Amino acid sequence: MTLLAPSRADAPPAHPLPVPARLSTVDLARVGLGGLRGRPLRAALSALGIAIGIAALVAVLGISTVSRAGLLKQVEALGTNLLTAAPGQSLQGDNATLPKDAVGMVRQIPGVESVSAVGTVPDATVRRTDRIPVAETGGIGVQAARLDLLRTIGGTGDPLASGVFLNAATARYPSVVLGSVAARRLGFDRPGEQVYTAGRWVTVIGILKPLPLAPEIDRSALLGWEYAAQLGFDGHPTRIYERSKDAVVEEVWQVLAATVSPEHPQEVRVSRPSDALTAQLAAKSAFNGLLLGLGGVALLVGGVGIANIMVISVLERRQEIGLRRALGATRRQIRTQFLTEAVALSLLGGLLGLVIGVGITLGYALHRGWPLVLPVEAVAGGVGAAALIGAVAGLYPARRAARLPPTEALASS
């Protein structure tokens, strides 16, 4: 019986190839971060573009959220139940005039809680001294004010910055209360001094805080209704302020013009001042869209910078790649290494930008005295955007590194 030797094809290999080891998470992080530690300055400059973009996005969204919260809080404190009525134009194109008894008629509307008014004193200016030319008004108007004006437009807080408001006694004498803008333009920070108006000296008895719902008062000097009559005021109000219960604001709006001027309701302009404040939110949102676009451009530039740096890194580290491949590293491990490095570089920039953006938002909130409200979507989105940009930017360099043949990589100098 003849024994046949096994063929070479059936013989087991003398030296079987080892199974490539899998990189653990710790090893992958160590290898991926090794390139960043070896070139710290380059890594910092590359991450700076991502940091600027993330900081811009987080700061814009953060400031927008803080502004919205602060403005809504302000509107809530001032109230959305304030309506104003002012004269428009008559059918002949002339300026209309509100009736003298318009305030009393508005007070009869069911649900109205308080009504007040101001009236423009014609041809009157306010100046620091009588040496200043009459034409230099500084944009300050002289208005007669009813005694309940602050109770109607002031909201829940104290509208007085210093001094007192007009009362039954001072309203008949040469006393004036300055709005916040008027006081600043005249150079007053406390009451007690005098200003010159309509050929007379009057004493400043009070200065108001800014009134967001009545910016026209901020630029005015307020005289008593009775004293203003001595300066040529005819008694016709030029703006009526009305507060009603929240539940009946719309109903009062519908009848306010007809109540103020029953004969010519089309000549009365009715508005709600709080609508102007809430309209600022829409304007800021449009402006924020532009800033977010600029932040997105910065992120794009940062991503291109990271891709460029990673390509250069692959070219500079060809021998390292060839040595690792010769020692048994697979293409997948090389690709994962450089992809991890790109994502880590982008995340470092993203975290730095996140800190800067939150810091800017916090500083803005403290400066304005508004509540700090951080948008969770901006914080999470910033980190997620940084990781995504790093992955996209590092994909091509990582694939390029993985495709390098070991012999060619080791032969390069």
Side-chain angles (χ1 to χ4, degrees):
M1 182 176 179
T2 304
L3 297 178
L4 298 177
S7 63
R8 294 181 60 90
D10 298 331
H15 301 287
L17 295 176
V19 179
R22 300 185 62 180
L23 286 176
S24 64
T25 304
V26 176
D27 292 334
L28 183 61
R30 183 183 299 111
V31 174
L33 296 177
L36 303 183
R37 291 196 300 267
R39 300 167 181 82
L41 181 59
R42 178 189 296 179
L45 294 177
S46 301
L48 185 59
I50 298 294
I52 293 174
I54 295 297
L57 293 177
V58 174
V60 169
L61 292 176
I63 290 176
S64 175
T65 304
V66 168
S67 299
R68 179 181 295 273
L71 192 56
L72 291 177
K73 182 180 179 181
Q74 187 180 50
V75 170
E76 182 180 355
L78 296 173
T80 59
N81 58 345
L82 178 67
L83 299 178
T84 64
Q89 287 188 335
S90 64
L91 297 177
Q92 293 75 25
D94 301 326
N95 292 330
T97 302
L98 300 183
K100 291 184 178 181
D101 57 349
V103 173
M105 292 188 294
V106 172
R107 192 173 282 114
Q108 303 304 317
I109 300 176
V112 170
E113 295 180 332
S114 62
V115 185
S116 190
V118 295
T120 301
V121 180
D123 303 324
T125 60
V126 176
R127 292 166 287 159
R128 187 67 186 257
T129 70
D130 55 352
R131 304 295 181 179
I132 299 176
V134 178
E136 297 184 11
T137 63
I140 303 172
V142 180
Q143 299 198 68
R146 299 180 71 91
L147 303 183
D148 53 1
L149 178 64
L150 293 189
R151 184 168 62 89
T152 303
I153 66 175
T156 57
D158 183 8
L160 276 169
S162 60
V164 296
F165 193 66
L166 299 166
N167 55 41
T170 57
R172 295 177 294 175
Y173 296 99
S175 303
V176 65
V177 175
L178 298 178
S180 58
V181 176
R184 185 172 66 251
R185 291 178 180 176
L186 291 172
F188 286 95
D189 56 2
R190 63 181 184 276
E193 301 184 54
Q194 291 186 320
V195 293
Y196 194 74
T197 178
R200 305 186 184 188
W201 290 97
V202 294
T203 302
V204 178
I205 63 173
I207 297 175
L208 300 177
K209 296 177 181 177
L211 299 172
L213 296 185
E216 64 279 355
I217 301 298
D218 294 339
R219 300 184 298 271
S220 300
L222 304 178
L223 300 172
W225 203 270
E226 295 85 349
Y227 183 74
Q230 304 177 27
L231 306 180
F233 174 55
D234 58 5
H236 289 275
T238 54
R239 189 175 295 270
I240 296 175
Y241 302 92
E242 176 275 331
R243 277 196 187 272
S244 56
K245 298 178 180 179
D246 293 332
V248 298
V249 172
E250 295 298 330
E251 288 80 358
V252 174
W253 182 309
Q254 298 298 326
V255 302
L256 185 57
T259 305
V260 170
S261 181
E263 296 182 358
H264 305 286
Q266 72 279 0
E267 298 178 356
V268 181
R269 294 184 290 107
V270 178
S271 61
R272 179 155 52 182
S274 60
D275 291 344
L277 291 179
T278 52
Q280 295 179 14
L281 295 176
K284 288 183 178 180
S285 298
F287 186 66
N288 289 340
L290 174 62
L291 295 180
L292 288 176
L294 295 177
V297 172
L299 278 179
L300 179 61
V301 173
V304 172
I306 288 180
N308 182 48
I309 290 300
M310 293 306 300
V311 169
I312 295 176
S313 179
V314 169
L315 295 176
E316 290 179 346
R317 298 161 63 185
R318 292 167 65 93
Q319 289 187 341
E320 174 192 336
I321 296 171
L323 181 59
R324 291 201 61 213
R325 289 296 310 279
L327 293 176
T330 63
R331 288 186 175 183
R332 180 178 180 181
Q333 291 174 344
I334 297 296
R335 184 169 57 248
T336 306
Q337 170 192 345
F338 281 89
L339 192 60
T340 301
E341 185 173 329
V343 173
L345 182 60
S346 183
L347 278 177
L348 288 176
L351 292 176
L352 177 61
L354 188 63
V355 172
I356 295 174
V358 172
I360 293 175
T361 303
L362 176 60
Y364 180 78
L366 293 177
H367 173 70
R368 298 299 298 268
W370 287 347
L372 177 62
V373 182
L374 289 177
V376 179
E377 63 276 9
V379 176
V383 177
L388 179 61
I389 290 173
V392 173
L395 186 60
Y396 170 73
R399 293 182 61 185
R400 180 171 180 173
R403 288 199 300 265
L404 280 176
T407 55
E408 179 183 337
L410 287 173
S412 62
S413 57

